[in-house]
Amino acid sequence: MRKREKTTESGEDRLIARYFKPLASHPGAFGLIDDAAVLAPPPGHELVLKTDAIVGGVHFFADDPADAVARKALRVNLSDLASKGAQPAGFLLTLALPKGVGDSWLKPFARGLGADAKRYHGPLLGGDTVRTPGPVTISIAAFGTVAIGAMVRRAGARLGDHVIITGTIGDAALGLKLRHDRGAAARRWKLDASMCKHLAARYLVPEPRNALAEALRLNASAAMDVSDGLAGDLGKLCRASGVGAEIEVARVPLSKAARAALTAEPKIIATILTGGDDFEVVATIPPDAIDRFMAAARLARVRVTEIGRVTAGQGARFCRPDGRPLTFARASFSHF
């Protein structure tokens, strides 16, 4: 009787085959059995590269659902691709897991990651899995494609351009405060259950504006995603472009929940404008393109609001209704 040959497959190989091989639909991924993948952009296009990591205890809570953690990890990268006018093409995943994280976490994680990879047409191409003594850490390198020379950069805003923002601002930062305050903030802000649910969801899983990528590519003079707070990120765009911007705070779009919180606690405006994790897009649109851009946003069903104009000078100036500028102790979130 022939002896059964011993398998050389490692635990890591089995993990990848079970959870991540089904997500690697791109032929250049080679079923995740090789050391690298290949990705060729369509003719006349070039690759846009982006990487962001999320870390347990910093970007998500230990008890957050694994499928939501996976979606957040991918979407924070997709948000950057959207702001560059790029279409998703695929991504690499590095997953660092502490002991004790097993099938009960990996199965929903892979399910959530796969669902978003399919939804946004960007398959898994490869990556790495490692053990860590620290918290769960997920790093994704996302790839997008854009016509050669057409990527929307931070540098490019011009005097007189309209400043627009997608979605609503401040929800995620307020949602994080709700998680930390264990109900005290909700009572203080007089939020009902639906408002609390909305803010929590906006922190847990962002909504990247990839449906607007083509309109941004065709119309925006400059753009970036808002991950560290509108005030700070718009300031970065202005510095890169060598311009200023004047923003009417009253025009910054807020959700019903954020509006209620602001009414109850006016000083929360600083958190709304600087707190981060919005993952919306701030862009500048030339006057002769603004109507076309707004029409495209309506077709894409993405809420867009004009909040100010590009001016001479340096940096972003946020003005109250009486014209007085707002000042912030810290313009944006920073890890360092």
Side-chain angles (χ1 to χ4, degrees), residues 166-250:
T166 63
T168 56
I169 293 298
D171 292 331
L174 297 181
L176 179 58
K177 277 189 169 291
L178 288 182
R179 292 287 294 269
H180 283 307
D181 283 5
R182 299 181 182 276
R187 292 189 294 272
R188 190 167 67 250
W189 299 337
K190 301 177 181 177
L191 303 182
D192 61 28
S194 66
M195 292 175 180
C196 291
K197 183 178 180 181
H198 169 80
L199 296 179
R202 287 278 284 162
Y203 171 73
L204 187 61
V205 182
E207 190 68 36
R209 303 304 179 180
N210 297 84
L212 203 60
E214 183 72 358
L216 288 163
R217 182 183 71 81
L218 293 173
N219 298 288
S221 55
M224 65 180 293
D225 93 315
V226 179
S227 56
D228 294 328
L230 176 59
D233 285 338
L234 180 57
K236 295 172 189 175
L237 185 151
C238 288
R239 287 192 294 275
S241 296
V243 297
E246 187 156 314
I247 305 303
E248 298 177 48
V249 172

Side-chain angles (χ1 to χ4, degrees), residues 8 21 32 54 76 84 110 127 159-160 172 191 204 207 215 226 229 235 255 264 268-269 298 306 311:
T8 58
K21 182 177 179 179
L32 303 187
I54 64 172
V76 300
K84 301 297 99 183
L159 297 183
L191 303 182
L204 187 61
E207 190 68 36
V226 179
S255 67
I268 208 81
I269 189 63
R298 288 192 293 271
E306 183 184 342
T311 63

